[in-house]
Amino acid sequence: MQPPAESPPPSPADWRRIDLNLLGCLEALVDTCSVTKAATVMGMSQPGMSKALTRLRVVFNDPLLVRTNQGMVATPRGIELRLQIRTGMKHIREALADPGDFEPALAVSTLTVAATDYIGTSLVPPLMERLTREAPGVRLNMVPPDAPRLRELLENGVCDVSIGFFVEMADGLYATQLSKDGMACIARDPHPLIAGHLSLAVYCENRHVYLGASPLFNSTLEMMTDRALKSLGVSRDIGFSASSSTVLPEVVACTDLIATYPRQAALRYAKRLPLQVLDLPFPSYEYTVSMVWHGRSHRASLHRWFRQLIREVADDHLP
């Protein structure tokens, strides 16, 4: 007996049969998995939303929602469409918004910031405090940065702003400086070989905690430190590496390992951990923390307000 033939893939949807309201209905239906709840979200009657679901099923040649013992659930095609449509609807809403009518207290949106743990621990808590007070309908996501794909992620709306240290800037991106800082060395206090001063020989002889988990993540600041050491003909002995910057001070505080770390963050950790904050024993560098965004959101009222909010919080909480 021959196995049943695999059903053919669904035909492409005819865009001429779709309007923005219908796409909004699809987004609400997949989000809520309920015709009644989706109708409430869209300000429609329940019969009206049922008709919209029927139209969507015809247009996309897929049931989109199916009934199970646990209630209605979205099909894989429905979930896929919702992800794609959410990004597209976000861009459309931004394009249609009137900059003069923007009121933070009435805004409903989700914004995504790409930032390291170091930036996040300094900036995100006070940023969330301002957001919840001034724009309670705005939700915030924080994701890890991906410098090689910075332009792609900003252009496609995967993230709305990226905050960090950027050596190069791709075309089509905007940037503003938020703060400047330098690098220092942290060691536990007391340390058997280090007490208030650090020589280059001791720096190189000690094992280091390193920010980076190649090939998944490499810190630009760590790579710049490696280049500075290479120019002197020396290198570091890495004893532990991690993709989270918040782990480094904790490991240093309970071992004889040392780390190269942003100075202001090091001083903050030294207030609650037994750490020494030491000058690096070689010419160090100052780096700039910048906020970067794409031209697609440059004039959007919500994004302009959000970027100004970040600037204000950075003035108070970054060096």
Side-chain angles (χ1 to χ4, degrees):
M1 181 176 177
Q2 294 292 328
E6 184 176 351
S7 30
S11 303
D14 185 350
W15 62 269
R16 290 168 296 185
R17 302 165 68 186
I18 306 172
D19 57 41
L20 289 182
N21 189 63
L22 198 59
L23 293 181
C25 290
L26 189 151
E27 189 178 12
L29 284 163
V30 176
D31 279 345
T32 64
C33 288
S34 165
V35 172
T36 302
K37 291 179 181 178
T40 300
V41 170
M42 294 296 293
M44 297 169 57
S45 67
Q46 194 270 350
M49 183 57 70
S50 293
K51 290 180 182 178
L53 177 56
T54 299
R55 287 182 61 195
L56 287 164
R57 285 169 167 167
V58 172
V59 168
F60 291 106
N61 191 25
D62 188 272
L64 303 175
L65 292 180
V66 294
R67 192 172 300 281
T68 70
N69 291 335
Q70 287 74 43
M72 298 288 280
V73 298
T75 65
R77 176 64 169 155
I79 294 171
E80 177 189 17
L81 286 168
R82 175 256 199 183
L83 293 173
Q84 296 170 341
I85 288 169
R86 171 160 290 181
T87 300
M89 291 293 286
K90 180 179 179 182
H91 292 173
I92 291 170
R93 288 171 185 136
E94 290 169 356
L96 297 177
D98 182 350
D101 293 339
F102 180 71
E103 295 184 42
L106 302 179
V108 177
S109 186
T110 298
L111 298 169
T112 301
V113 174
T116 62
D117 288 348
Y118 157 56
I119 296 295
T121 54
S122 302
L123 203 61
V124 171
L127 182 61
M128 278 305 304
E129 190 277 328
R130 290 281 302 271
L131 273 177
T132 54
R133 176 160 43 91
E134 299 176 27
V138 175
R139 291 168 174 79
L140 185 64
N141 294 330
M142 178 179 165
V143 298
D146 188 349
R149 299 176 60 218
L150 177 63
R151 174 179 173 147
E152 173 192 345
L153 299 179
L154 290 169
E155 185 174 28
N156 293 338
V158 177
C159 62
D160 298 295
V161 297
S162 186
I163 302 174
F165 171 60
F166 305 99
V167 178
E168 298 178 351
M169 197 68 57
D171 292 339
L173 299 182
Y174 294 81
T176 187
Q177 177 181 313
L178 296 179
S179 72
K180 286 188 175 183
D181 198 3
M183 302 298 288
C185 180
I186 53 176
R188 75 179 176 95
D189 189 14
H191 189 283
L193 299 177
I194 303 169
H197 175 73
L198 184 65
S199 68
L200 182 60
V202 172
Y203 178 89
C204 295
E205 289 167 5
N206 265 269
R207 296 173 75 198
H208 288 247
V209 180
Y210 187 90
L211 178 59
S214 185
L216 300 176
F217 167 68
N218 289 292
S219 163
T220 303
L221 295 176
E222 294 281 26
M223 290 189 288
M224 291 182 68
T225 298
D226 288 337
R227 284 199 289 268
L229 293 172
K230 185 177 180 180
S231 70
L232 299 174
V234 296
S235 62
R236 289 182 283 181
D237 178 13
I238 306 302
F240 172 74
S241 60
S243 59
S244 171
S245 62
T246 57
V247 174
L248 271 66
E250 303 285 349
V251 173
V252 170
C254 64
T255 68
D256 288 339
L257 278 71
I258 63 176
T260 306
Y261 208 70
R263 179 176 292 276
Q264 294 302 319
L267 292 171
R268 188 171 65 249
Y269 276 108
K271 293 179 180 179
R272 67 175 184 85
L273 294 173
L275 292 173
Q276 303 177 63
V277 180
L278 308 147
D279 291 336
L280 290 172
F282 53 88
S284 184
Y285 51 88
E286 187 177 64
Y287 67 92
T288 299
V289 175
S290 299
M291 173 172 57
V292 181
W293 64 96
H294 191 267
R296 70 170 184 85
S297 61
H298 183 61
R299 298 184 183 278
S301 54
L302 169 63
H303 291 261
R304 292 192 352 252
W305 174 83
F306 182 59
R307 292 193 298 267
Q308 180 57 33
L309 185 65
I310 290 175
R311 292 185 189 97
E312 294 172 9
V313 171
D315 285 344
D316 293 334
H317 296 275
L318 292 181

